[in-house]
PDB file of all heavy atoms in Angstrom:
ATOM      1  N   THR A 158       3.372  17.160  -3.044  1.00 93.00           N
ATOM      2  CA  THR A 158       4.047  16.579  -4.211  1.00 93.00           C
ATOM      3  C   THR A 158       5.279  17.427  -4.555  1.00 93.00           C
ATOM      4  O   THR A 158       6.372  16.880  -4.777  1.00 93.00           O
ATOM      5  CB  THR A 158       3.118  16.539  -5.440  1.00 93.00           C
ATOM      6  OG1 THR A 158       1.943  15.791  -5.077  1.00 93.00           O
ATOM      7  CG2 THR A 158       3.778  15.883  -6.636  1.00 93.00           C
ATOM      8  N   SER A 159       5.102  18.756  -4.541  1.00 89.00           N
ATOM      9  CA  SER A 159       6.216  19.644  -4.884  1.00 89.00           C
ATOM     10  C   SER A 159       7.338  19.580  -3.841  1.00 89.00           C
ATOM     11  O   SER A 159       8.519  19.474  -4.186  1.00 89.00           O
ATOM     12  CB  SER A 159       5.737  21.110  -4.923  1.00 89.00           C
ATOM     13  OG  SER A 159       4.703  21.207  -5.881  1.00 89.00           O
ATOM     14  N   ALA A 160       6.964  19.577  -2.575  1.00 86.00           N
ATOM     15  CA  ALA A 160       7.967  19.517  -1.528  1.00 86.00           C
ATOM     16  C   ALA A 160       8.744  18.209  -1.580  1.00 86.00           C
ATOM     17  O   ALA A 160       9.955  18.166  -1.347  1.00 86.00           O
ATOM     18  CB  ALA A 160       7.306  19.688  -0.146  1.00 86.00           C
ATOM     19  N   HIS A 161       8.045  17.139  -1.956  1.00 90.00           N
ATOM     20  CA  HIS A 161       8.695  15.822  -2.020  1.00 90.00           C
ATOM     21  C   HIS A 161       9.658  15.742  -3.186  1.00 90.00           C
ATOM     22  O   HIS A 161      10.695  15.081  -3.119  1.00 90.00           O
ATOM     23  CB  HIS A 161       7.592  14.740  -2.151  1.00 90.00           C
ATOM     24  CG  HIS A 161       8.055  13.353  -1.873  1.00 90.00           C
ATOM     25  ND1 HIS A 161       8.432  12.468  -2.856  1.00 90.00           N
ATOM     26  CD2 HIS A 161       8.219  12.674  -0.722  1.00 90.00           C
ATOM     27  CE1 HIS A 161       8.785  11.320  -2.330  1.00 90.00           C
ATOM     28  NE2 HIS A 161       8.667  11.409  -1.024  1.00 90.00           N
ATOM     29  N   ARG A 162       9.323  16.442  -4.277  1.00 90.00           N
ATOM     30  CA  ARG A 162      10.136  16.403  -5.484  1.00 90.00           C
ATOM     31  C   ARG A 162      11.541  16.974  -5.197  1.00 90.00           C
ATOM     32  O   ARG A 162      12.507  16.642  -5.869  1.00 90.00           O
ATOM     33  CB  ARG A 162       9.450  17.203  -6.582  1.00 90.00           C
ATOM     34  CG  ARG A 162       9.972  16.904  -7.974  1.00 90.00           C
ATOM     35  CD  ARG A 162       9.228  17.720  -9.030  1.00 90.00           C
ATOM     36  NE  ARG A 162       7.855  17.376  -9.173  1.00 90.00           N
ATOM     37  CZ  ARG A 162       6.833  18.266  -9.171  1.00 90.00           C
ATOM     38  NH1 ARG A 162       7.067  19.539  -9.026  1.00 90.00           N
ATOM     39  NH2 ARG A 162       5.597  17.862  -9.274  1.00 90.00           N
ATOM     40  N   ILE A 163      11.606  17.887  -4.224  1.00 87.00           N
ATOM     41  CA  ILE A 163      12.919  18.468  -3.879  1.00 87.00           C
ATOM     42  C   ILE A 163      13.895  17.421  -3.350  1.00 87.00           C
ATOM     43  O   ILE A 163      15.112  17.537  -3.561  1.00 87.00           O
ATOM     44  CB  ILE A 163      12.698  19.595  -2.827  1.00 87.00           C
ATOM     45  CG1 ILE A 163      11.840  20.707  -3.438  1.00 87.00           C
ATOM     46  CG2 ILE A 163      14.053  20.157  -2.351  1.00 87.00           C
ATOM     47  CD1 ILE A 163      11.426  21.757  -2.433  1.00 87.00           C
ATOM     48  N   VAL A 164      13.365  16.407  -2.691  1.00 89.00           N
ATOM     49  CA  VAL A 164      14.263  15.436  -2.045  1.00 89.00           C
ATOM     50  C   VAL A 164      14.294  14.070  -2.699  1.00 89.00           C
ATOM     51  O   VAL A 164      15.126  13.233  -2.324  1.00 89.00           O
ATOM     52  CB  VAL A 164      13.909  15.256  -0.531  1.00 89.00           C
ATOM     53  CG1 VAL A 164      14.213  16.570   0.211  1.00 89.00           C
ATOM     54  CG2 VAL A 164      12.470  14.852  -0.337  1.00 89.00           C
ATOM     55  N   SER A 165      13.402  13.812  -3.624  1.00 92.00           N
ATOM     56  CA  SER A 165      13.363  12.471  -4.200  1.00 92.00           C
ATOM     57  C   SER A 165      12.923  12.425  -5.634  1.00 92.00           C
ATOM     58  O   SER A 165      12.129  13.248  -6.088  1.00 92.00           O
ATOM     59  CB  SER A 165      12.361  11.609  -3.372  1.00 92.00           C
ATOM     60  OG  SER A 165      12.231  10.313  -3.950  1.00 92.00           O
ATOM     61  N   ASP A 166      13.470  11.436  -6.392  1.00 93.00           N
ATOM     62  CA  ASP A 166      13.043  11.223  -7.776  1.00 93.00           C
ATOM     63  C   ASP A 166      11.750  10.419  -7.810  1.00 93.00           C
ATOM     64  O   ASP A 166      11.045  10.403  -8.826  1.00 93.00           O
ATOM     65  CB  ASP A 166      14.128  10.491  -8.576  1.00 93.00           C
ATOM     66  CG  ASP A 166      15.346  11.368  -8.799  1.00 93.00           C
ATOM     67  OD1 ASP A 166      15.148  12.604  -8.827  1.00 93.00           O
ATOM     68  OD2 ASP A 166      16.453  10.831  -8.973  1.00 93.00           O
ATOM     69  N   ILE A 167      11.486   9.707  -6.747  1.00 94.00           N
ATOM     70  CA  ILE A 167      10.236   8.938  -6.706  1.00 94.00           C
ATOM     71  C   ILE A 167       9.103   9.883  -6.318  1.00 94.00           C
ATOM     72  O   ILE A 167       9.223  10.651  -5.386  1.00 94.00           O
ATOM     73  CB  ILE A 167      10.330   7.783  -5.676  1.00 94.00           C
ATOM     74  CG1 ILE A 167      11.442   6.807  -6.067  1.00 94.00           C
ATOM     75  CG2 ILE A 167       8.986   7.051  -5.569  1.00 94.00           C
ATOM     76  CD1 ILE A 167      11.630   5.648  -5.108  1.00 94.00           C
ATOM     77  N   LYS A 168       8.047   9.864  -7.101  1.00 95.00           N
ATOM     78  CA  LYS A 168       6.938  10.778  -6.907  1.00 95.00           C
ATOM     79  C   LYS A 168       6.253  10.546  -5.552  1.00 95.00           C
ATOM     80  O   LYS A 168       6.126   9.410  -5.118  1.00 95.00           O
ATOM     81  CB  LYS A 168       5.929  10.560  -8.045  1.00 95.00           C
ATOM     82  CG  LYS A 168       5.123  11.802  -8.390  1.00 95.00           C
ATOM     83  CD  LYS A 168       4.194  11.523  -9.581  1.00 95.00           C
ATOM     84  CE  LYS A 168       2.971  12.419  -9.540  1.00 95.00           C
ATOM     85  NZ  LYS A 168       1.983  12.073 -10.539  1.00 95.00           N
ATOM     86  N   TRP A 169       5.817  11.646  -4.937  1.00 95.00           N
ATOM     87  CA  TRP A 169       5.046  11.537  -3.692  1.00 95.00           C
ATOM     88  C   TRP A 169       3.826  10.660  -3.969  1.00 95.00           C
ATOM     89  O   TRP A 169       3.095  10.863  -4.945  1.00 95.00           O
ATOM     90  CB  TRP A 169       4.595  12.956  -3.279  1.00 95.00           C
ATOM     91  CG  TRP A 169       3.761  12.991  -2.051  1.00 95.00           C
ATOM     92  CD1 TRP A 169       4.227  12.930  -0.753  1.00 95.00           C
ATOM     93  CD2 TRP A 169       2.359  13.121  -1.962  1.00 95.00           C
ATOM     94  NE1 TRP A 169       3.158  12.981   0.111  1.00 95.00           N
ATOM     95  CE2 TRP A 169       2.010  13.128  -0.588  1.00 95.00           C
ATOM     96  CE3 TRP A 169       1.318  13.259  -2.900  1.00 95.00           C
ATOM     97  CZ2 TRP A 169       0.670  13.232  -0.133  1.00 95.00           C
ATOM     98  CZ3 TRP A 169      -0.005  13.352  -2.454  1.00 95.00           C
ATOM     99  CH2 TRP A 169      -0.290  13.367  -1.114  1.00 95.00           C
ATOM    100  N   GLY A 170       3.600   9.670  -3.101  1.00 95.00           N
ATOM    101  CA  GLY A 170       2.442   8.817  -3.262  1.00 95.00           C
ATOM    102  C   GLY A 170       2.712   7.595  -4.130  1.00 95.00           C
ATOM    103  O   GLY A 170       1.851   6.698  -4.163  1.00 95.00           O
ATOM    104  N   ASP A 171       3.840   7.531  -4.835  1.00 96.00           N
ATOM    105  CA  ASP A 171       4.175   6.320  -5.601  1.00 96.00           C
ATOM    106  C   ASP A 171       4.491   5.228  -4.601  1.00 96.00           C
ATOM    107  O   ASP A 171       5.379   5.372  -3.768  1.00 96.00           O
ATOM    108  CB  ASP A 171       5.385   6.618  -6.475  1.00 96.00           C
ATOM    109  CG  ASP A 171       5.789   5.403  -7.321  1.00 96.00           C
ATOM    110  OD1 ASP A 171       5.573   4.250  -6.881  1.00 96.00           O
ATOM    111  OD2 ASP A 171       6.377   5.609  -8.423  1.00 96.00           O
ATOM    112  N   PRO A 172       3.772   4.105  -4.684  1.00 96.00           N
ATOM    113  CA  PRO A 172       3.973   3.038  -3.679  1.00 96.00           C
ATOM    114  C   PRO A 172       5.419   2.623  -3.486  1.00 96.00           C
ATOM    115  O   PRO A 172       5.817   2.224  -2.383  1.00 96.00           O
ATOM    116  CB  PRO A 172       3.146   1.872  -4.265  1.00 96.00           C
ATOM    117  CG  PRO A 172       2.028   2.538  -4.995  1.00 96.00           C
ATOM    118  CD  PRO A 172       2.676   3.782  -5.606  1.00 96.00           C
ATOM    119  N   LEU A 173       6.234   2.769  -4.517  1.00 96.00           N
ATOM    120  CA  LEU A 173       7.643   2.317  -4.388  1.00 96.00           C
ATOM    121  C   LEU A 173       8.375   3.120  -3.321  1.00 96.00           C
ATOM    122  O   LEU A 173       9.443   2.687  -2.870  1.00 96.00           O
ATOM    123  CB  LEU A 173       8.351   2.451  -5.738  1.00 96.00           C
ATOM    124  CG  LEU A 173       8.286   1.170  -6.594  1.00 96.00           C
ATOM    125  CD1 LEU A 173       9.047   1.420  -7.902  1.00 96.00           C
ATOM    126  CD2 LEU A 173       8.857  -0.053  -5.868  1.00 96.00           C
ATOM    127  N   GLY A 174       7.879   4.296  -2.955  1.00 96.00           N
ATOM    128  CA  GLY A 174       8.558   5.091  -1.923  1.00 96.00           C
ATOM    129  C   GLY A 174       8.183   4.663  -0.517  1.00 96.00           C
ATOM    130  O   GLY A 174       8.668   5.275   0.443  1.00 96.00           O
ATOM    131  N   TYR A 175       7.368   3.624  -0.395  1.00 97.00           N
ATOM    132  CA  TYR A 175       6.861   3.247   0.935  1.00 97.00           C
ATOM    133  C   TYR A 175       6.877   1.720   1.082  1.00 97.00           C
ATOM    134  O   TYR A 175       6.940   0.991   0.112  1.00 97.00           O
ATOM    135  CB  TYR A 175       5.418   3.753   1.125  1.00 97.00           C
ATOM    136  CG  TYR A 175       5.279   5.184   0.681  1.00 97.00           C
ATOM    137  CD1 TYR A 175       4.827   5.509  -0.595  1.00 97.00           C
ATOM    138  CD2 TYR A 175       5.665   6.234   1.508  1.00 97.00           C
ATOM    139  CE1 TYR A 175       4.775   6.838  -1.032  1.00 97.00           C
ATOM    140  CE2 TYR A 175       5.608   7.544   1.095  1.00 97.00           C
ATOM    141  CZ  TYR A 175       5.138   7.839  -0.182  1.00 97.00           C
ATOM    142  OH  TYR A 175       5.075   9.120  -0.617  1.00 97.00           O
ATOM    143  N   ASP A 176       6.880   1.273   2.322  1.00 97.00           N
ATOM    144  CA  ASP A 176       6.827  -0.157   2.609  1.00 97.00           C
ATOM    145  C   ASP A 176       5.434  -0.707   2.692  1.00 97.00           C
ATOM    146  O   ASP A 176       5.173  -1.869   2.372  1.00 97.00           O
ATOM    147  CB  ASP A 176       7.588  -0.452   3.913  1.00 97.00           C
ATOM    148  CG  ASP A 176       9.017  -0.025   3.871  1.00 97.00           C
ATOM    149  OD1 ASP A 176       9.755  -0.605   3.044  1.00 97.00           O
ATOM    150  OD2 ASP A 176       9.403   0.944   4.543  1.00 97.00           O
ATOM    151  N   LEU A 177       4.496   0.140   3.145  1.00 98.00           N
ATOM    152  CA  LEU A 177       3.124  -0.268   3.297  1.00 98.00           C
ATOM    153  C   LEU A 177       2.199   0.894   2.958  1.00 98.00           C
ATOM    154  O   LEU A 177       2.397   2.017   3.475  1.00 98.00           O
ATOM    155  CB  LEU A 177       2.888  -0.715   4.731  1.00 98.00           C
ATOM    156  CG  LEU A 177       1.630  -1.529   5.036  1.00 98.00           C
ATOM    157  CD1 LEU A 177       1.690  -2.887   4.370  1.00 98.00           C
ATOM    158  CD2 LEU A 177       1.441  -1.689   6.540  1.00 98.00           C
ATOM    159  N   CYS A 178       1.220   0.677   2.082  1.00 98.00           N
ATOM    160  CA  CYS A 178       0.264   1.717   1.749  1.00 98.00           C
ATOM    161  C   CYS A 178      -1.115   1.284   2.227  1.00 98.00           C
ATOM    162  O   CYS A 178      -1.582   0.189   1.911  1.00 98.00           O
ATOM    163  CB  CYS A 178       0.218   1.973   0.215  1.00 98.00           C
ATOM    164  SG  CYS A 178       1.822   2.344  -0.490  1.00 98.00           S
TER     165      CYS A 178
END
Side-chain angles (χ1 to χ4, degrees):
Chain A
T158 303
S159 302
H161 195 264
R162 198 181 294 130
I163 297 172
V164 293
S165 176
D166 289 334
I167 298 178
K168 208 177 153 188
W169 179 79
D171 181 331
L173 270 181
Y175 314 95
D176 299 296
L177 195 67
C178 305

